Amino acid sequence: MKRASCRLEGIRQGLLAKGLSGQALNIVLAAQRTSTRNQYKSCWSKWVGWCDKQQINPIQPSIPKVVDFLSELFQAGLQYSTLNSYRSAIRSTIPQVEGCPVGQHPLVCKFMKGVFNSRPPQPKYSGTWDVGLVTKYLEGLPSDSKLAVSVLTKKCAMLLALSASKRQSDLRAIDLRFKKCIPEGVSFQLVALTKTRTATKSMEFFFPSFPHNKGLCPVTCLDSYVERTSAWQVVGDGPQPLFLAIQAPPQSCVFSYHWEVVKGHNERGGY
């Protein structure tokens, strides 16, 4: 097998060598999402650069060379999770070595266990933010009809995130075409990809109604937001994302909703 500096080309070569047709190959390559491919792309590029200096083929390395590469990254201060990304990028690109996927080879597994024991992973977050502080700020805002669209957007995103424990990718995936109103609240059938959606798992997001507290009711705020932004929605059979960018042209947007709300509260003399 010839050298492949491009990761996808390396995968392509391996699949073609197994006799896979070009049509089937493209579908197999779509198994990895764009975010994963982008993450692995930088890892693969660094691996290829290291192999060039070592004058070895990145597609056909020996297991000791793979371990040497990971060891250099460890000595450079990289954490376990980052090293695991490098291992996964190499494993998912090159064929088996010594009859075993590179990432599952006993020597590689022992090395990674040593990394874990020598440099245990640290918590992802070093601090937390006070939910009570945020809800108090939101309750103190004027009615939704009097809020600027920019503020209403952040309020709606925060209430949806808090009421159903959703992440940014979840909120971005909400599509108004699949909205269903029920007495207890509102639900959305999920059709877009998120970090938590799998091929065998149908997903539906439910957001409860709080009729006793309109100021913190996610459904009330959602309805206000949809009404205020209805003129920006694209009419047709295509996707109709709930959240739109505030600046023109309107389009699906992602933002750090909890930071924006907390920051806004602090700037207005909050705790």
Side-chain angles (χ1 to χ4, degrees):
M1 184 180 293
K2 64 181 181 180
R3 295 170 64 90
S5 58
C6 173
R7 178 174 172 272
L8 287 182
E9 181 58 29
I11 298 176
R12 188 180 297 273
Q13 289 181 22
L15 293 174
L16 290 174
K18 293 180 179 180
L20 207 64
S21 68
Q23 187 177 26
L25 185 148
N26 291 330
I27 297 176
V28 172
L29 290 177
Q32 283 190 343
R33 298 184 181 181
T34 302
S35 58
T36 300
R37 291 200 297 268
N38 290 339
Q39 179 184 12
Y40 287 175
K41 182 179 179 180
S42 60
C43 296
W44 179 255
S45 178
K46 193 160 187 174
W47 162 247
V48 170
W50 186 87
C51 289
D52 284 343
K53 294 179 181 179
Q54 299 291 320
Q55 297 184 338
I56 60 176
N57 189 340
I59 297 295
Q60 296 177 319
S62 65
I63 291 298
K65 287 299 183 182
V66 174
V67 174
D68 285 344
F69 171 68
L70 296 175
S71 180
E72 286 194 17
L73 297 178
F74 176 79
Q75 296 302 327
L78 270 62
Q79 301 297 317
Y80 177 86
S81 60
T82 306
L83 288 173
N84 207 30
S85 294
Y86 277 93
R87 174 176 69 163
S88 297
I90 297 172
R91 176 198 60 77
S92 63
T93 307
I94 70 176
Q96 294 186 359
V97 179
E98 300 178 6
C100 178
V102 171
Q104 299 174 15
H105 192 280
L107 184 58
V108 176
C109 291
K110 286 182 179 180
F111 174 82
M112 292 302 297
K113 185 174 182 179
V115 170
F116 185 92
N117 292 337
S118 302
R119 191 177 293 160
Q122 300 298 308
K124 185 176 181 180
Y125 302 106
S126 58
T128 58
W129 48 279
D130 189 348
V131 175
L133 178 152
V134 178
T135 55
K136 184 176 181 179
Y137 164 69
L138 294 177
E139 280 189 296
L141 290 174
S143 63
D144 293 342
S145 61
K146 297 180 180 179
L147 294 177
V149 175
S150 60
V151 178
L152 182 60
T153 300
K154 297 167 186 175
K155 176 183 177 181
C156 183
M158 172 58 86
L159 290 178
L160 295 184
L162 288 178
S163 63
S165 300
K166 298 304 177 186
R167 60 175 79 211
Q168 291 187 36
S169 64
D170 294 332
L171 298 186
R172 184 174 62 175
I174 295 176
D175 192 318
L176 290 175
R177 295 175 299 167
F178 305 97
K179 177 184 177 182
K180 181 172 66 176
C181 296
I182 57 178
E184 297 79 14
V186 63
S187 66
F188 292 89
Q189 189 69 38
L190 186 66
V191 296
L193 295 176
T194 70
K195 289 185 177 181
T196 55
R197 186 185 178 191
T198 64
T200 58
K201 184 179 180 182
S202 176
M203 295 188 66
E204 184 175 87
F205 292 165
F206 171 73
F207 301 101
S209 174
F210 303 147
H212 59 284
N213 190 340
K214 295 293 185 180
L216 292 181
C217 178
V219 177
T220 299
C221 188
L222 172 65
D223 290 341
S224 297
Y225 176 78
V226 171
E227 181 181 359
R228 294 278 295 278
T229 59
S230 60
W232 300 350
Q233 287 289 344
V234 177
V235 179
D237 297 330
Q240 295 182 17
L242 168 62
F243 287 106
L244 301 172
I246 300 171
Q247 294 81 13
Q251 56 184 330
S252 177
C253 67
V254 185
F255 43 83
S256 299
Y257 41 84
H258 63 269
W259 168 247
E260 292 290 348
V261 174
V262 173
K263 180 181 178 183
H265 179 277
N266 290 335
E267 289 177 348
R268 289 166 177 76
Y271 295 106

